[in-house]
Amino acid sequence: MNMIGSFIEVYGDREGRLKMYSYDEFTEDLNRGHEIEFDLNDTHFLISYNESGWYCIKENEESQIKYESVEQLLNEFKINDKTLKSLWGNIIVSDIF
């Protein structure tokens, strides 16, 4: 998927129209078990899941905090004391898998 800012390319649209990728869709994708990569201020992050829990990993950082649920991750993970929801307009989603 090609994400441009908070927009996602609509596949099959010959005019190349863009559709908003909302924060609600983002949380729904996480709750479905998708992992998501995104960029914020030239820094790359990965939200990942394994059998022990959810993680939001900053590029080139070894420390990882485990979250028991998507809800806990979204409420407790912060970048410069701001939640992902409050930063959403500045986040560029690069991949969903």
XYZ file of all heavy atoms in Angstrom:
816
model
N 0.835 -1.179 0.000
C 0.000 0.000 0.000
C 0.874 1.234 0.000
O 1.863 1.271 0.691
C -0.867 0.031 1.255
C -1.932 -0.969 1.292
S -2.986 -0.657 2.723
C -4.231 -1.832 2.321
N 0.449 2.224 -0.727
C 1.147 3.489 -0.728
C 0.401 4.481 0.134
O -0.715 4.842 -0.177
C 1.226 4.066 -2.141
C 2.464 3.674 -2.852
O 3.430 3.293 -2.221
N 2.448 3.753 -4.155
N 1.011 4.896 1.220
C 0.399 5.893 2.093
C 1.099 7.213 1.870
O 2.318 7.275 1.832
C 0.550 5.512 3.562
C -0.019 4.187 3.898
S -1.785 4.269 3.883
C -2.148 2.600 4.262
N 0.339 8.251 1.716
C 0.891 9.576 1.527
C 0.279 10.448 2.616
O -0.901 10.762 2.553
C 0.554 10.113 0.137
C 1.023 9.117 -0.927
C 1.172 11.483 -0.077
C 0.433 9.332 -2.271
N 1.062 10.789 3.627
C 0.503 11.488 4.773
C -0.569 10.620 5.400
O -0.364 9.449 5.634
N -1.711 11.165 5.639
C -2.820 10.390 6.175
C -3.727 9.898 5.053
O -4.876 9.591 5.269
C -3.627 11.245 7.153
O -2.813 11.609 8.222
N -3.209 9.864 3.838
C -3.997 9.435 2.698
C -3.518 8.087 2.205
O -2.366 7.724 2.333
C -3.882 10.448 1.546
C -4.464 11.772 1.864
C -3.704 12.756 2.441
C -5.795 12.028 1.595
C -4.247 13.989 2.741
C -6.345 13.267 1.888
C -5.571 14.241 2.455
N -4.432 7.324 1.622
C -4.090 6.039 1.039
C -4.559 6.044 -0.409
O -5.636 6.545 -0.718
C -4.738 4.878 1.823
C -4.372 3.551 1.192
C -6.232 5.011 1.908
C -4.775 2.358 2.036
N -3.718 5.544 -1.308
C -4.082 5.481 -2.710
C -5.221 4.492 -2.889
O -5.199 3.397 -2.343
C -2.869 5.049 -3.525
C -3.107 5.054 -5.008
C -1.850 4.730 -5.786
O -0.752 4.793 -5.214
O -2.003 4.396 -6.953
N -6.231 4.882 -3.650
C -7.353 3.987 -3.931
C -6.980 3.176 -5.165
O -6.838 3.718 -6.255
C -8.653 4.784 -4.179
C -9.797 3.837 -4.505
C -8.981 5.637 -2.971
N -6.797 1.858 -5.007
C -6.400 1.013 -6.118
C -7.556 0.830 -7.076
O -8.704 0.744 -6.676
C -5.892 -0.328 -5.595
C -4.559 -0.164 -4.929
C -4.466 0.014 -3.555
C -3.403 -0.111 -5.676
C -3.252 0.212 -2.945
C -2.180 0.092 -5.075
C -2.108 0.241 -3.712
O -0.901 0.448 -3.116
N -7.237 0.771 -8.375
C -8.252 0.603 -9.392
C -8.878 1.916 -9.835
O -9.710 1.933 -10.723
N -8.487 3.008 -9.248
C -9.022 4.312 -9.607
C -8.094 4.935 -10.650
O -6.970 5.306 -10.342
C -9.113 5.191 -8.363
C -9.784 6.512 -8.625
O -9.873 6.907 -9.805
O -10.215 7.138 -7.656
N -8.562 5.046 -11.858
C -7.719 5.545 -12.947
C -7.369 7.014 -12.796
O -6.396 7.480 -13.362
C -8.421 5.319 -14.288
C -8.526 3.847 -14.595
C -9.142 3.620 -15.915
N -9.380 2.174 -16.034
C -9.832 1.617 -17.094
N -10.133 2.336 -18.147
N -10.010 0.312 -17.134
N -8.175 7.745 -12.052
C -7.886 9.164 -11.853
C -6.865 9.398 -10.743
O -6.477 10.518 -10.481
C -9.179 9.935 -11.518
C -10.114 10.082 -12.703
C -10.963 8.845 -12.925
O -11.402 8.241 -11.930
O -11.166 8.478 -14.095
N -6.459 8.348 -10.033
C -5.467 8.480 -8.967
C -5.995 9.223 -7.757
O -5.246 9.858 -7.037
N -7.305 9.153 -7.541
C -7.888 9.832 -6.387
C -7.379 9.224 -5.082
O -7.029 8.055 -5.026
C -9.414 9.740 -6.436
C -9.997 10.608 -7.533
C -11.469 10.474 -7.557
N -11.786 9.156 -8.105
C -12.981 8.760 -8.480
N -14.005 9.566 -8.337
N -13.186 7.574 -8.970
N -7.371 10.028 -4.046
C -6.899 9.593 -2.737
C -8.055 9.525 -1.762
O -8.994 10.305 -1.842
C -5.834 10.556 -2.200
C -4.573 10.690 -3.044
C -3.666 11.739 -2.447
C -3.859 9.372 -3.173
N -7.964 8.586 -0.840
C -8.967 8.417 0.211
C -8.269 8.630 1.549
O -7.162 8.162 1.746
C -9.537 6.999 0.125
C -10.451 6.629 1.240
C -10.803 5.152 1.159
C -11.410 4.730 2.458
N -11.175 3.358 2.778
N -8.912 9.317 2.471
C -8.343 9.516 3.802
C -8.178 8.173 4.503
O -9.082 7.349 4.460
C -9.291 10.338 4.659
C -9.021 11.820 4.838
S -7.349 12.266 5.043
C -7.366 12.852 6.703
N -7.046 7.956 5.114
C -6.825 6.807 5.994
C -6.933 7.363 7.394
O -6.038 8.055 7.877
C -5.454 6.190 5.725
C -5.164 4.966 6.574
C -5.857 3.781 6.373
C -4.195 5.012 7.556
C -5.582 2.661 7.145
C -3.906 3.888 8.322
C -4.603 2.722 8.108
O -4.326 1.611 8.873
N -8.040 7.110 8.024
C -8.340 7.751 9.305
C -7.666 7.046 10.479
O -7.244 5.892 10.378
C -9.851 7.772 9.528
O -10.323 6.466 9.790
N -7.628 7.744 11.585
C -7.115 7.162 12.818
C -7.973 5.968 13.227
O -7.446 4.958 13.701
C -7.088 8.221 13.930
C -6.569 7.679 15.230
C -5.203 7.531 15.440
C -7.438 7.309 16.253
C -4.712 7.028 16.633
C -6.957 6.805 17.455
C -5.599 6.662 17.631
O -5.118 6.156 18.811
N -9.293 6.051 13.014
C -10.178 4.925 13.329
C -9.843 3.700 12.489
O -9.826 2.575 13.001
C -11.645 5.310 13.137
C -12.133 6.284 14.201
O -11.511 6.355 15.286
O -13.127 6.977 13.937
N -9.551 3.889 11.203
C -9.146 2.762 10.352
C -7.812 2.188 10.811
O -7.609 0.974 10.794
C -9.056 3.208 8.887
C -10.401 3.494 8.264
C -10.287 4.141 6.908
O -9.561 5.155 6.777
O -10.933 3.625 5.975
N -6.917 3.055 11.222
C -5.624 2.653 11.757
C -5.815 1.741 12.974
O -5.242 0.653 13.052
C -4.849 3.930 12.119
C -3.618 3.749 12.944
C -2.470 3.175 12.426
C -3.578 4.209 14.263
C -1.317 3.050 13.194
C -2.436 4.098 15.037
C -1.306 3.513 14.494
N -6.678 2.166 13.918
C -6.910 1.346 15.109
C -7.623 0.048 14.760
O -7.333 -0.993 15.343
C -7.685 2.115 16.198
O -8.951 2.510 15.707
C -6.911 3.329 16.670
N -8.540 0.090 13.796
C -9.218 -1.130 13.352
C -8.217 -2.110 12.757
O -8.275 -3.318 13.028
C -10.297 -0.804 12.320
C -11.523 -0.157 12.908
C -12.496 0.318 11.836
O -12.411 -0.145 10.677
O -13.336 1.171 12.167
N -7.288 -1.604 11.929
C -6.267 -2.472 11.339
C -5.407 -3.119 12.418
O -5.095 -4.314 12.351
C -5.396 -1.702 10.347
C -6.094 -1.462 9.015
O -7.087 -2.162 8.715
O -5.638 -0.575 8.269
N -5.025 -2.353 13.423
C -4.243 -2.926 14.517
C -5.052 -3.986 15.259
O -4.532 -5.065 15.568
C -3.790 -1.827 15.488
C -2.737 -0.868 14.966
C -2.491 0.246 15.963
C -1.440 -1.594 14.635
N -6.316 -3.698 15.548
C -7.159 -4.666 16.252
C -7.412 -5.935 15.446
O -7.714 -6.973 16.027
C -8.481 -4.021 16.676
C -8.315 -3.185 17.923
O -7.788 -3.645 18.928
N -8.751 -1.938 17.871
N -7.251 -5.857 14.147
C -7.362 -7.047 13.285
C -6.052 -7.832 13.254
O -5.972 -8.868 12.612
C -7.736 -6.638 11.867
C -9.141 -6.171 11.726
C -9.464 -5.880 10.264
N -10.791 -5.342 10.162
C -11.103 -4.188 9.595
N -10.158 -3.451 9.037
N -12.340 -3.769 9.571
N -5.015 -7.283 13.898
C -3.735 -7.984 13.959
C -2.719 -7.524 12.937
O -1.637 -8.096 12.840
N -3.041 -6.478 12.172
C -2.080 -5.956 11.199
C -0.936 -5.252 11.908
O -1.123 -4.663 12.973
C -2.753 -4.972 10.239
C -3.720 -5.602 9.318
N -3.335 -6.377 8.241
C -5.075 -5.588 9.296
C -4.399 -6.802 7.599
N -5.484 -6.346 8.230
N 0.231 -5.314 11.302
C 1.376 -4.555 11.772
C 1.518 -3.354 10.846
O 1.206 -3.437 9.657
C 2.627 -5.425 11.768
C 2.491 -6.589 12.741
C 3.716 -7.466 12.827
O 4.587 -7.395 11.928
O 3.814 -8.212 13.799
N 1.971 -2.238 11.380
C 1.994 -0.997 10.616
C 3.331 -0.294 10.793
O 3.833 -0.173 11.910
C 0.836 -0.069 11.050
C -0.499 -0.767 10.776
C 0.921 1.285 10.341
C -1.730 -0.007 11.211
N 3.891 0.155 9.669
C 5.101 0.968 9.688
C 4.706 2.404 9.378
O 3.841 2.647 8.538
C 6.101 0.481 8.640
C 6.664 -0.883 8.948
C 7.745 -1.292 7.964
O 8.362 -0.423 7.306
O 7.966 -2.502 7.851
N 5.350 3.346 10.072
C 5.061 4.750 9.805
C 6.277 5.610 10.079
O 7.231 5.184 10.738
C 3.859 5.235 10.632
C 4.077 5.280 12.116
C 4.552 6.422 12.737
C 3.794 4.174 12.913
C 4.737 6.464 14.115
C 3.961 4.202 14.287
C 4.440 5.357 14.892
N 6.235 6.812 9.526
C 7.290 7.792 9.721
C 6.705 9.020 10.403
O 5.564 9.411 10.131
C 7.905 8.211 8.382
C 8.613 7.055 7.712
O 9.589 6.548 8.286
O 8.185 6.649 6.613
N 7.499 9.610 11.269
C 7.139 10.859 11.923
C 8.420 11.667 12.067
O 9.398 11.189 12.658
C 6.516 10.604 13.297
C 6.167 11.838 14.101
C 5.046 12.635 13.419
C 5.763 11.473 15.517
N 8.423 12.845 11.486
C 9.596 13.731 11.565
C 10.880 13.008 11.171
O 11.867 13.020 11.901
C 9.738 14.327 12.968
C 8.523 15.113 13.380
O 7.858 15.725 12.549
N 8.210 15.091 14.658
N 10.869 12.336 10.035
C 12.029 11.624 9.482
C 12.521 10.470 10.354
O 13.669 10.049 10.241
C 13.191 12.594 9.212
C 12.831 13.640 8.174
O 12.134 13.300 7.198
O 13.241 14.804 8.342
N 11.674 9.978 11.248
C 12.005 8.812 12.062
C 11.010 7.707 11.734
O 9.813 7.951 11.658
C 11.949 9.144 13.558
O 12.851 10.230 13.822
C 12.354 7.952 14.406
N 11.530 6.494 11.551
C 10.709 5.349 11.164
C 10.326 4.528 12.401
O 11.159 4.303 13.276
C 11.487 4.476 10.172
C 10.657 3.445 9.507
N 9.757 3.744 8.520
C 10.577 2.109 9.703
C 9.161 2.635 8.123
N 9.638 1.628 8.824
N 9.069 4.091 12.447
C 8.553 3.286 13.546
C 7.847 2.058 12.986
O 7.333 2.083 11.871
C 7.525 4.085 14.367
C 8.088 5.259 15.089
C 8.223 6.484 14.451
C 8.479 5.158 16.418
C 8.732 7.591 15.122
C 8.985 6.255 17.097
C 9.115 7.474 16.449
N 7.791 1.010 13.785
C 7.054 -0.204 13.458
C 6.188 -0.580 14.648
O 6.686 -0.678 15.776
C 8.008 -1.359 13.150
C 7.404 -2.766 13.092
C 6.412 -2.896 11.932
C 8.486 -3.815 13.006
N 4.907 -0.774 14.400
C 4.023 -1.349 15.418
C 3.910 -2.817 15.060
O 3.469 -3.174 13.967
C 2.643 -0.674 15.432
C 2.791 0.793 15.817
C 1.721 -1.410 16.414
C 1.497 1.574 15.799
N 4.331 -3.658 15.975
C 4.462 -5.082 15.721
C 3.782 -5.898 16.811
O 3.627 -5.428 17.938
C 5.959 -5.425 15.672
O 6.157 -6.788 15.442
N 3.408 -7.114 16.458
C 2.760 -8.014 17.411
C 3.435 -9.373 17.362
O 3.804 -9.861 16.298
C 1.275 -8.178 17.061
C 0.581 -9.174 17.957
C 0.184 -8.822 19.236
C 0.347 -10.471 17.526
C -0.432 -9.741 20.074
C -0.270 -11.392 18.357
C -0.655 -11.018 19.621
O -1.252 -11.926 20.457
N 3.618 -9.973 18.528
C 3.991 -11.384 18.605
C 3.225 -12.000 19.767
O 2.439 -11.321 20.424
C 5.511 -11.583 18.710
C 6.101 -11.056 19.986
O 5.472 -11.072 21.044
N 7.331 -10.563 19.906
N 3.442 -13.259 20.040
C 2.644 -13.959 21.059
C 2.751 -13.344 22.455
O 1.896 -13.546 23.299
C 2.971 -15.455 21.106
C 4.389 -15.783 21.476
C 5.387 -15.705 20.331
O 4.990 -15.605 19.169
O 6.586 -15.742 20.624
N 3.788 -12.543 22.707
C 3.895 -11.928 24.029
C 3.243 -10.562 24.132
O 3.004 -10.089 25.234
C 5.339 -11.832 24.497
O 6.247 -11.667 23.498
N 2.929 -9.907 23.028
C 2.257 -8.623 23.105
C 2.536 -7.721 21.930
O 3.107 -8.131 20.923
N 2.138 -6.463 22.067
C 2.302 -5.421 21.054
C 3.511 -4.568 21.387
O 3.819 -4.329 22.553
C 1.059 -4.531 21.005
C -0.096 -5.201 20.352
C -1.070 -5.946 20.972
C -0.385 -5.240 18.972
N -1.949 -6.420 20.033
C -1.555 -6.000 18.794
C 0.228 -4.693 17.840
C -2.125 -6.234 17.555
C -0.339 -4.917 16.596
C -1.498 -5.672 16.463
N 4.182 -4.071 20.350
C 5.361 -3.229 20.506
C 5.313 -2.094 19.496
O 4.849 -2.289 18.371
C 6.653 -4.029 20.250
C 6.829 -5.184 21.187
C 6.235 -6.417 20.928
C 7.578 -5.047 22.338
C 6.378 -7.485 21.809
C 7.733 -6.107 23.224
C 7.137 -7.320 22.945
O 7.282 -8.365 23.822
N 5.782 -0.922 19.859
C 6.025 0.154 18.912
C 7.520 0.416 18.973
O 8.040 0.857 20.000
C 5.227 1.411 19.234
S 5.307 2.611 17.890
N 8.198 0.108 17.900
C 9.652 0.109 17.879
C 10.150 1.275 17.031
O 9.767 1.425 15.873
C 10.166 -1.230 17.291
C 9.584 -2.392 18.099
C 11.683 -1.252 17.255
C 9.617 -3.715 17.372
N 10.997 2.086 17.624
C 11.619 3.205 16.912
C 12.861 2.694 16.206
O 13.651 1.933 16.782
C 11.984 4.299 17.911
C 12.576 5.534 17.295
C 12.853 6.566 18.382
C 13.504 7.797 17.824
N 13.817 8.765 18.882
N 13.026 3.098 14.961
C 14.179 2.684 14.162
C 15.488 2.947 14.904
O 15.658 3.995 15.529
C 14.166 3.459 12.843
C 15.273 3.099 11.891
C 15.160 3.873 10.599
O 14.934 5.101 10.649
O 15.286 3.245 9.554
N 16.379 1.967 14.859
C 17.711 2.043 15.470
C 17.695 2.140 16.988
O 18.657 2.600 17.587
C 18.525 3.208 14.887
C 18.758 3.050 13.401
O 18.972 1.937 12.910
N 18.693 4.136 12.683
N 16.620 1.716 17.617
C 16.566 1.680 19.072
C 16.350 0.249 19.518
O 15.506 -0.443 18.986
C 15.427 2.563 19.600
C 15.943 3.779 20.285
C 14.849 4.582 20.956
O 13.952 4.000 21.583
O 14.919 5.796 20.834
N 17.106 -0.172 20.496
C 16.990 -1.542 20.962
C 15.934 -1.716 22.045
O 15.366 -2.786 22.186
C 18.346 -2.039 21.464
C 19.337 -2.223 20.323
C 20.612 -2.869 20.799
O 20.583 -3.609 21.787
O 21.648 -2.612 20.167
N 15.667 -0.673 22.814
C 14.710 -0.830 23.908
C 13.296 -0.955 23.353
O 12.914 -0.259 22.415
C 14.804 0.335 24.884
O 14.112 1.445 24.400
N 12.562 -1.879 23.931
C 11.190 -2.137 23.508
C 10.312 -2.273 24.746
O 10.688 -2.921 25.704
C 11.112 -3.425 22.696
C 11.905 -3.396 21.423
C 11.803 -4.717 20.680
O 10.983 -5.557 21.001
N 12.645 -4.883 19.697
N 9.160 -1.635 24.687
C 8.186 -1.770 25.764
C 7.047 -2.621 25.243
O 6.527 -2.372 24.158
C 7.662 -0.397 26.222
C 8.825 0.442 26.759
C 6.566 -0.556 27.262
C 8.458 1.879 27.046
N 6.670 -3.614 26.042
C 5.578 -4.505 25.658
C 4.262 -3.935 26.152
O 4.156 -3.457 27.281
C 5.796 -5.895 26.250
C 4.699 -6.872 25.890
C 4.962 -8.225 26.471
C 4.336 -8.282 27.830
N 4.251 -9.587 28.416
N 3.260 -4.012 25.289
C 1.899 -3.600 25.639
C 0.998 -4.817 25.506
O 1.119 -5.588 24.556
C 1.415 -2.478 24.713
C 2.296 -1.252 24.802
C 3.348 -1.061 23.915
C 2.096 -0.306 25.792
C 4.164 0.058 24.006
C 2.910 0.817 25.892
C 3.936 0.988 24.992
O 4.753 2.082 25.089
N 0.099 -4.983 26.449
C -0.776 -6.160 26.473
C -1.859 -6.124 25.404
O -2.368 -7.158 25.000
C -1.425 -6.308 27.850
C -0.434 -6.498 28.980
C 0.374 -7.784 28.857
O -0.182 -8.807 28.402
O 1.563 -7.757 29.211
N -2.213 -4.915 24.952
C -3.298 -4.779 23.986
C -3.043 -3.574 23.089
O -2.220 -2.705 23.401
C -4.632 -4.591 24.709
O -4.630 -3.345 25.393
N -3.792 -3.510 21.996
C -3.732 -2.346 21.116
C -4.156 -1.104 21.895
O -3.520 -0.056 21.808
C -4.630 -2.551 19.873
C -4.781 -1.257 19.084
C -4.083 -3.663 18.996
N -5.208 -1.231 22.678
C -5.711 -0.096 23.464
C -4.633 0.445 24.398
O -4.429 1.657 24.495
C -6.946 -0.505 24.257
C -7.543 0.628 25.040
C -8.799 0.219 25.804
O -9.314 -0.891 25.614
O -9.247 1.037 26.620
N -3.928 -0.449 25.089
C -2.865 -0.010 25.998
C -1.756 0.690 25.212
O -1.263 1.731 25.626
C -2.304 -1.197 26.779
C -1.238 -0.768 27.765
C -0.536 -1.924 28.451
O -0.493 -3.042 27.925
N 0.023 -1.655 29.620
N -1.357 0.134 24.070
C -0.318 0.749 23.249
C -0.746 2.151 22.825
O 0.005 3.118 22.968
C -0.040 -0.113 22.007
C 1.062 0.396 21.091
C 1.802 -0.780 20.481
C 0.519 1.275 19.987
N -1.980 2.291 22.333
C -2.452 3.589 21.852
C -2.580 4.605 22.972
O -2.377 5.801 22.755
C -3.782 3.427 21.122
C -3.705 2.616 19.823
C -5.091 2.383 19.267
C -2.800 3.282 18.803
N -2.890 4.154 24.174
C -3.030 5.069 25.315
C -1.703 5.420 25.971
O -1.539 6.523 26.495
C -3.962 4.474 26.367
C -5.402 4.467 25.913
O -5.832 5.323 25.154
N -6.149 3.481 26.372
N -0.744 4.497 25.968
C 0.487 4.687 26.741
C 1.727 5.012 25.930
O 2.644 5.637 26.447
C 0.739 3.444 27.603
C -0.335 3.246 28.650
C -0.103 2.029 29.517
O 1.022 1.480 29.522
O -1.058 1.605 30.194
N 1.782 4.587 24.658
C 2.961 4.897 23.845
C 2.926 6.365 23.463
O 1.928 6.872 22.964
C 3.019 4.032 22.583
C 4.198 4.369 21.712
C 5.456 3.938 22.066
C 4.037 5.138 20.575
C 6.555 4.262 21.275
C 5.120 5.471 19.785
C 6.390 5.033 20.137
N 4.042 7.069 23.722
C 4.100 8.499 23.437
C 5.405 8.848 22.741
O 6.448 8.249 22.998
C 3.953 9.297 24.724
C 2.591 9.079 25.337
C 2.252 10.103 26.366
C 0.812 9.904 26.733
N 0.514 9.760 28.065
N 5.294 9.833 21.880
C 6.455 10.419 21.214
C 6.459 11.884 21.621
O 5.498 12.610 21.362
C 6.358 10.269 19.680
C 6.271 8.792 19.291
C 7.549 10.948 19.002
C 5.932 8.535 17.840
N 7.513 12.309 22.299
C 7.587 13.682 22.830
C 6.345 14.023 23.656
O 5.742 15.085 23.494
C 7.783 14.695 21.698
C 9.091 14.491 20.977
O 10.084 14.081 21.572
N 9.100 14.745 19.691
N 5.952 13.090 24.507
C 4.811 13.247 25.410
C 3.466 13.392 24.710
O 2.514 13.904 25.294
C 5.017 14.427 26.374
C 6.147 14.154 27.359
O 6.261 12.995 27.808
O 6.904 15.091 27.657
N 3.367 12.943 23.452
C 2.110 13.013 22.707
C 1.734 11.624 22.217
O 2.591 10.850 21.791
C 2.232 13.960 21.516
C 2.456 15.400 21.934
C 2.496 16.308 20.745
C 2.729 17.731 21.213
N 2.808 18.662 20.098
N 0.441 11.329 22.278
C -0.050 10.040 21.792
C -0.065 10.030 20.265
O -0.018 11.082 19.611
C -1.483 9.770 22.287
O -2.340 10.779 21.736
C -1.556 9.762 23.807
N -0.167 8.820 19.706
C -0.263 8.702 18.252
C -1.500 9.417 17.725
O -1.463 10.028 16.659
C -0.275 7.226 17.837
C 1.021 6.464 18.106
C 0.864 4.997 17.725
C 2.181 7.087 17.352
N -2.577 9.384 18.487
C -3.807 10.059 18.056
C -3.575 11.557 17.914
O -3.999 12.171 16.935
C -4.947 9.779 19.029
C -6.264 10.368 18.569
C -7.399 9.939 19.470
C -8.733 10.408 18.899
N -9.855 9.903 19.670
N -2.891 12.160 18.869
C -2.659 13.606 18.799
C -1.650 13.970 17.711
O -1.638 15.099 17.232
C -2.214 14.153 20.150
O -0.949 13.671 20.500
N -0.816 13.015 17.299
C 0.181 13.240 16.250
C -0.316 12.819 14.866
O 0.404 12.985 13.883
C 1.458 12.460 16.581
C 2.216 12.898 17.827
C 3.247 11.849 18.214
C 2.866 14.250 17.600
N -1.514 12.261 14.786
C -1.985 11.588 13.576
C -1.809 12.407 12.300
O -1.395 11.886 11.278
C -3.444 11.145 13.731
C -3.864 10.327 12.567
C -4.764 10.675 11.607
C -3.374 9.038 12.203
N -4.877 9.673 10.670
C -4.024 8.654 11.022
C -2.432 8.168 12.767
C -3.784 7.443 10.388
C -2.194 6.956 12.132
C -2.856 6.610 10.960
N -2.089 13.686 12.314
C -1.972 14.513 11.115
C -0.558 14.633 10.582
O -0.349 15.016 9.436
N 0.444 14.282 11.393
C 1.852 14.362 10.989
C 2.464 13.000 10.686
O 3.626 12.924 10.286
C 2.665 15.036 12.097
C 2.185 16.440 12.361
O 2.016 17.228 11.452
N 1.936 16.741 13.618
N 1.709 11.951 10.896
C 2.210 10.587 10.690
C 2.025 10.186 9.238
O 0.963 10.400 8.655
C 1.487 9.609 11.636
C 1.973 9.851 13.067
C 1.696 8.158 11.207
C 1.251 9.044 14.119
N 3.062 9.596 8.668
C 3.013 9.071 7.300
C 3.091 7.555 7.402
O 4.129 6.992 7.772
C 4.154 9.607 6.442
C 4.079 11.129 6.361
C 4.116 8.983 5.054
C 5.287 11.782 5.744
N 1.993 6.878 7.111
C 1.953 5.414 7.152
C 2.621 4.902 5.879
O 2.221 5.257 4.776
C 0.501 4.905 7.262
C 0.462 3.397 7.196
C -0.129 5.392 8.563
N 3.638 4.057 6.034
C 4.370 3.560 4.870
C 3.996 2.149 4.475
O 4.120 1.785 3.310
C 5.884 3.650 5.109
O 6.243 2.941 6.272
N 3.495 1.347 5.417
C 3.130 -0.033 5.073
C 2.202 -0.624 6.120
O 2.312 -0.301 7.303
C 4.383 -0.898 4.958
C 4.219 -2.061 4.001
O 3.110 -2.251 3.464
O 5.190 -2.790 3.802
N 1.305 -1.456 5.644
C 0.408 -2.230 6.501
C 0.523 -3.672 6.042
O 0.390 -3.965 4.864
C -1.056 -1.758 6.373
C -1.174 -0.289 6.739
C -1.973 -2.624 7.232
C -2.531 0.302 6.442
N 0.797 -4.562 6.975
C 0.899 -5.984 6.600
C 0.343 -6.852 7.694
O 0.028 -6.420 8.767
C 2.323 -6.370 6.233
C 3.377 -5.883 7.174
C 3.879 -6.714 8.146
C 3.859 -4.574 7.089
C 4.853 -6.267 9.022
C 4.852 -4.127 7.962
C 5.333 -4.971 8.921
